[in-house]
Amino acid sequence: MQLDVFEGDSIVEPREGMEFESEDAAKMFYDEYARRVGFVMRVMSCCRSERDGRILARRFGCNKEGYCVSIRGKFGPVRKPRPSTREGCKAMIHVKFDKSGKWMITKFVKEHNHELVVCPREARQTMDEKDKKIQELTAELRNKKRLCAAYQEQLTAFMKVVEEHSDQLSKKVEHVINNLKEFESIEELLQHR
């Protein structure tokens, strides 16, 4: 099965019975379909084999599936409450590992309960802008860490110089004290004569 989501000018819709070589192939197909139609795909639940833990079935759906459970108050007050992105959307596909060794769509729900993005490219561009911002901030953080390491190195070198200078001062003070003691003992001897 080829992963093309286009047949001529139209978008190929998932359908029950559609087969894929792997779970990843099914995921890539639905993700590409989601992009073309105008929503973001989310990997959802899976069913594993009790014997060896292999994934036997997987659900892929719209990222607006379900509802956001509020955790307000559990960890203190929320500073900037954000609007929920979940709207209880039911759109999804269910793929199952078949005896033939292929992955097959066993259920497809097409309907969304929210508006789809008019221009899917704009949605991806927004994601790309977020990715770029993350990359910029990561690079800035890396630079700050390098700068911090350089400052720490300079501070360590400075502390070593201060420590050496302090040791030298201590030795000089000790030498002066010893000279004063020696001078006092000579002065006492001279006074007793």
Side-chain angles (χ1 to χ4, degrees), residues 123-160:
R124 286 295 163 184
Q125 185 178 359
T126 305
M127 295 295 279
D128 289 343
E129 287 170 10
K130 287 179 184 176
D131 289 342
K132 284 177 188 174
K133 188 67 176 172
I134 289 169
Q135 285 176 344
E136 287 172 14
L137 291 172
T138 303
E140 189 178 331
L141 180 63
R142 204 176 298 121
N143 288 337
K144 297 288 184 190
K145 282 183 177 178
R146 282 190 200 125
L147 192 59
C148 188
Y151 287 152
Q152 189 168 3
E153 198 175 298
Q154 287 177 348
L155 185 59
T156 303
F158 178 73
M159 292 296 290
K160 190 175 179 182

Side-chain angles (χ1 to χ4, degrees), residues 37-144:
V37 172
F39 68 98
V40 177
M41 187 271 301
R42 189 164 70 110
V43 177
M44 292 151 71
S45 61
C46 71
C47 179
R48 293 182 179 272
S49 164
E50 289 180 15
R51 230 182 307 147
D52 58 9
R54 285 184 305 130
I55 294 175
L56 299 176
R58 171 76 76 183
R59 217 163 43 99
F60 303 109
C62 177
N63 74 327
K64 293 184 183 285
E65 181 265 347
Y67 293 96
C68 183
V69 178
S70 177
I71 58 168
R72 191 177 316 211
K74 286 185 181 177
F75 303 104
V78 178
R79 278 190 264 178
K80 282 170 76 175
R82 293 178 290 180
S84 175
T85 57
R86 304 286 186 91
E87 298 183 21
C89 184
K90 303 275 187 214
M92 56 78 90
I93 63 168
H94 185 265
V95 292
K96 195 173 185 179
F97 187 69
D98 193 48
K99 291 175 186 172
S100 67
K102 299 200 185 267
W103 286 78
M104 184 183 296
I105 296 178
T106 58
K107 185 174 183 180
F108 170 52
V109 177
K110 178 182 178 180
E111 294 76 28
H112 293 263
N113 66 348
H114 56 89
E115 287 186 33
L116 298 174
V117 177
V118 177
C119 180
R121 285 195 181 123
E122 286 177 15
R124 286 295 163 184
Q125 185 178 359
T126 305
M127 295 295 279
D128 289 343
E129 287 170 10
K130 287 179 184 176
D131 289 342
K132 284 177 188 174
K133 188 67 176 172
I134 289 169
Q135 285 176 344
E136 287 172 14
L137 291 172
T138 303
E140 189 178 331
L141 180 63
R142 204 176 298 121
N143 288 337
K144 297 288 184 190

